[in-house]
């Protein structure tokens, strides 16, 4: 029931997503590489996607323990 | 360390959830870690309430965003018991915090750890195996269009914006990768999961690592 103007806007965003898929898939070098295409987020612009779905942030850097790299590598 | 390790093989990871339009990935990943850690301790695997964390973790902003570490701090400092998801179901919006009587079943944590492990993904493998699935915060901007395969490009560190759960890894093939559970439903990615190349901190996967202690 959305107005035609809104549908046309979404379709334009969708077509931009398809172009983005082509760009990203252009970097594939082997069968195991990531591949990109139409999924439930294809009618969202990158900005909309980020605004809706990417809402986490880390705490202060000091809150995270940084193990001694030399010791950890030796242990490993 | 084994060539391949996956907590799902031991039936210690709950099913993929869908956060819908609620920006509470931070709560989903932390509840995922508690569900698995509780089951690793020999208890039944069960779905716990994400909505409780969204509504009650007062240092975060519910569906408008939050931090995995502040959620763990809230769980630990308040000694809140996470109730079953069926008791406090997901509503896809922030609401008021509901309190339950002490007799209500719930899962609390005895502590938590948070590490910065960039350049130390071998150490991250060890932490994963010894402690259970890990909540991490990644740069997921390029994940919008992901369908499958191993992410190796277009995913830098330094812009962490999405919390997910590392449940395993596979180093047996040409390209070693982390096995990561997302909260965007099963129609995204590999039945809700994504594979990320190991060893070079792709997407900043090793920058902000956290898990509860049970």
């Amino acid at each position: 029931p959305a107005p035609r103007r809104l549908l046309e806007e979404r379709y334009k965003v969708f077509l931009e997503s398809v172009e983005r898929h082509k760009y990203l898939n252009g970097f594939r070098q082997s069968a195991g590489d990531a591949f990109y295409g139409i999924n439930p987020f294809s009618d969202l612009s990158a900005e909309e996607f980020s605004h809706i779905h990417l809402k986490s942030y880390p705490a202060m850097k000091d809150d995270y323990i940084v193990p001694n790299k030399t010791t950890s590598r030796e242990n490993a | 360390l084994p060539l391949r390790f996956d907590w799902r093989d031991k039936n210690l990871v709950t099913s993929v959830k869908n956060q819908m339009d609620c920006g509470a990935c931070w709560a989903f990943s932390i509840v995922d870690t508690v569900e698995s850690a509780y089951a690793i301790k020999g208890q039944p695997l069960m779905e716990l309430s994400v909505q409780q964390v969204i509504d009650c973790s007062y240092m975060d902003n519910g569906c408008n965003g939050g931090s995995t570490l502040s959620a763990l701090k809230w769980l630990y400092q308040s000694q809140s018991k996470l109730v079953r998801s069926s008791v406090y179901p997901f509503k896809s919006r922030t609401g008021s915090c509901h309190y339950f009587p002490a007799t209500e079943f719930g899962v609390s944590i005895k502590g938590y750890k948070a590490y910065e492990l960039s350049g130390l993904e071998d150490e991250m493998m060890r932490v994963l195996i010894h402690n259970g699935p890990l909540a991490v915060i990644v740069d997921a901007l390029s994940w919008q269009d992901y369908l499958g395969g191993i992410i190796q490009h277009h995913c830098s560190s330094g812009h962490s914006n999405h919390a997910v759960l590392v449940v395993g890894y596979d180093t047996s093939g040409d390209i070693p990768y982390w096995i990561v559970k997302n909260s965007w439903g099963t129609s995204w990615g590999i039945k809700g999961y994504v594979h990320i190349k190991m060893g070079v901190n792709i997407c900043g996967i090793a920058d902000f690592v956290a898990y509860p202690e049970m």
Side-chain angles (χ1 to χ4, degrees):
Chain A
R4 184 173 181 79
R5 183 179 56 79
L6 290 178
L7 287 173
E8 285 172 355
E9 280 176 15
R10 281 301 109 192
Y11 187 59
K12 190 180 164 200
V13 169
F14 173 78
L15 292 179
E16 286 167 359
S17 293
V18 172
E19 288 304 310
R20 195 172 58 238
H21 304 157
K22 286 180 192 167
Y23 171 77
L24 291 169
N25 285 327
F27 291 89
R28 297 192 74 211
Q29 293 173 342
S30 67
D33 282 355
F35 52 100
Y36 302 89
I38 297 166
N39 72 8
F41 301 131
S42 295
D43 64 347
L44 296 176
S45 69
E47 292 74 24
E48 289 168 326
F49 172 75
S50 178
H51 181 71
I52 297 167
H53 296 287
L54 307 180
K55 302 281 245 182
S56 188
Y57 43 82
M60 298 288 286
K61 198 90 176 167
D62 292 349
D63 288 338
Y64 294 85
I65 301 163
V66 183
N68 181 306
K69 294 196 177 190
T70 309
T71 307
S72 296
R73 285 199 173 120
E74 283 169 359
N75 288 343
Chain B
L1 294 169
L3 282 178
R4 188 181 183 282
F5 185 86
D6 189 340
W7 281 109
R8 291 177 299 177
D9 294 343
K10 304 173 196 300
N11 195 29
L12 292 168
V13 180
T14 53
S15 57
V16 170
K17 302 172 181 74
N18 193 338
Q19 66 185 79
M20 298 160 74
D21 287 346
C22 168
C25 52
W26 57 277
F28 280 88
S29 68
I30 284 307
V31 170
D32 276 340
T33 61
V34 175
E35 288 168 344
S36 289
Y38 186 63
I40 289 167
K41 283 289 178 189
Q43 303 299 324
L45 181 69
M46 66 181 76
E47 298 211 341
L48 299 171
S49 175
V50 176
Q51 191 66 43
Q52 186 179 7
V53 180
I54 292 170
D55 294 348
C56 304
S57 181
Y58 64 92
M59 289 180 280
D60 297 296
N61 294 306
C63 287
N64 289 320
S67 157
T68 50
L69 189 48
S70 55
L72 278 173
K73 276 183 187 171
W74 163 74
L75 261 178
Y76 173 63
Q77 290 172 354
S78 67
Q79 277 302 292
S80 295
K81 290 198 296 183
L82 280 186
V83 299
R84 293 175 196 268
S85 61
S86 55
V87 172
Y88 199 156
F90 179 59
K91 292 174 183 159
S92 193
R93 63 178 186 275
T94 314
S96 355
C97 180
H98 291 230
Y99 294 91
F100 293 88
T103 51
E104 181 72 44
F105 169 81
V107 178
S108 59
I109 66 172
K110 288 184 177 165
Y112 62 89
K113 285 281 191 300
Y115 289 107
E116 198 265 271
L117 295 170
S118 57
L120 293 168
E121 287 180 61
D122 45 2
E123 179 71 6
M124 191 163 147
M125 294 159 73
R126 191 189 61 78
V127 173
L128 173 79
I129 291 171
H130 282 263
N131 299 286
L134 307 170
V136 298
I137 309 179
V138 296
D139 178 350
L141 190 60
S142 68
W143 293 18
Q144 178 177 0
D145 309 299
Y146 177 79
L147 294 181
I150 305 168
I151 293 180
Q152 305 173 60
H153 314 285
H154 304 292
C155 204
S156 58
S157 57
H159 302 282
S160 305
N161 49 35
H162 183 53
V164 287
L165 186 78
V166 177
V167 302
Y169 66 83
D170 190 338
T171 62
S172 62
D174 292 340
I175 303 164
Y177 60 86
W178 293 109
I179 302 165
V180 177
K181 181 187 181 191
N182 202 350
S183 51
W184 292 342
T186 51
S187 58
W188 178 88
I190 308 163
K191 295 181 180 174
Y193 282 78
V194 52
H195 294 167
I196 299 172
K197 184 181 180 181
M198 295 174 79
V200 282
N201 200 23
I202 293 286
C203 309
I205 194 163
D207 282 338
F208 304 104
V209 178
Y211 62 88
E213 294 173 316
M214 304 301 284

